[in-house]
Amino acid sequence: MNIGLVVTTLGRELGLRRLLQSLAGQVTGADTIVIVAQGNLQVVKDLALEFTTIGCEIVVTTSPLGASRGRNAGVAALPAGMDYLLHFPNDTTWFPPGTIAGIREIPPAATAAALTVTDENGPKFHLPAAGTPLDRWNVWTVIEMGLVIRRSLFTRLGGFTESIGTGASTPWQSGEATDLLLRLMHARESDSFVWLPAEVAIGGVSDPHGLSNGERRRKLRSYARGFGRLLTVWHYPLFWRAAALAGGLLFGLRNRSSFQTADGWWVFVGRFEGLTGRCWGKKLSKAVDR
């Protein structure tokens, strides 16, 4: 299966360089990399020219701000008529040797899959065992850079919802992959979803990497808003919403390797805003400024 890698970026050169270096020797001429530059367009174009011998075509395009918008634009920029196996790495992602080969081993009948995403603290989520059906409870273990989906299915579902996710024009700054997979289940197309083995994994950085205390807490609150909003929009049971809200206060304690105990307060506030659809304060539309 041909791989279509779609990367949305604000133009962070160092991360993109590491990503492209990690793909050398893994991609083939039938694959395509699309980089959607929502900032520093010329820097991204120059970087793509440096990697013309990577083994596949690199397409550089641009779009309005927002990760969901960028990913949709990137898929549209892929050569027409080819049903790529899509993957959406961040510009801080890299691919250990053998990862692309592992993605290619998805069974022919599978139309979507999830792979493990790691950072300096280990896996972000431990995925269910192979053969476990995708459902509305385990769908939360699939994050954007862990999603693999055939282009034909992605297009049929309408792509990512552009009003949610990082950089969107609304306060709901997360959940675009979850929303896509919930729509997949609603369309009764989840039977062909597979969980890839844990050894098929990509590397990345933890959510608070490089952020100040204020930036980290704003990002947590913004992401928590998106989480809470999806719980309401997709009619999760009231007990589940209540547990998610209460669990927000314990977020810092449960994730002490990356966060502070007091960070749980900002997760709690964000989830409450998402669950109720009411937000307080200004500058709600962006999780981070960089």
Side-chain angles (χ1 to χ4, degrees), residues 33-57:
I33 300 169
V34 180
I35 305 177
V36 185
Q38 297 179 336
N40 293 333
L41 178 59
Q42 191 56 52
V43 170
V44 175
K45 286 182 175 179
D46 292 343
L47 186 62
L49 286 175
E50 289 184 37
F51 285 87
T52 53
T53 60
I54 194 173
C56 73
E57 181 182 9

Side-chain angles (χ1 to χ4, degrees), residues 131-144:
T132 303
L134 178 71
D135 59 36
R136 61 195 272 114
W137 315 111
N138 61 31
V139 68
W140 300 95
T141 63
V142 187
I143 55 180
E144 288 68 34

Side-chain angles (χ1 to χ4, degrees), residues 160-176:
F160 291 109
T161 300
E162 296 185 356
S163 60
I164 62 175
T166 304
S169 58
T170 71
W172 325 122
Q173 293 283 292
S174 68
E176 58 268 45

Side-chain angles (χ1 to χ4, degrees), residues 10 19 46 98 136 232 236 240:
L10 295 176
L19 186 155
D46 292 343
R136 61 195 272 114
T232 297
Y236 275 78
W240 221 76

Side-chain angles (χ1 to χ4, degrees), residues 1-5 83-89 95 99-100 102-107 110-117 127 134 142-154 157 160 177 180-181 184 189 192-196 200-202:
M1 191 71 185
N2 301 335
I3 307 294
L5 299 170
D83 193 16
Y84 287 92
L85 200 56
L86 302 175
H87 182 54
F88 304 94
F95 292 78
T99 303
I100 295 296
I103 294 174
R104 289 192 208 279
E105 292 178 4
I106 289 176
T111 57
L115 55 79
T116 298
V117 180
L127 302 183
L134 178 71
V142 187
I143 55 180
E144 288 68 34
M145 53 280 206
L147 175 66
V148 180
I149 185 169
R150 292 185 188 270
R151 184 186 194 178
S152 54
L153 176 57
F154 182 84
L157 294 172
F160 291 109
L180 181 69
L181 291 177
L184 179 148
E189 300 215 33
S192 59
F193 182 93
V194 297
W195 305 96
L196 295 179
V200 182
I202 57 173

Side-chain angles (χ1 to χ4, degrees), residues 12-24:
R12 292 177 281 211
E13 182 180 2
L14 291 178
L16 283 170
R17 184 180 297 279
R18 178 172 61 176
L19 186 155
L20 293 172
Q21 287 173 338
S22 73
L23 288 168

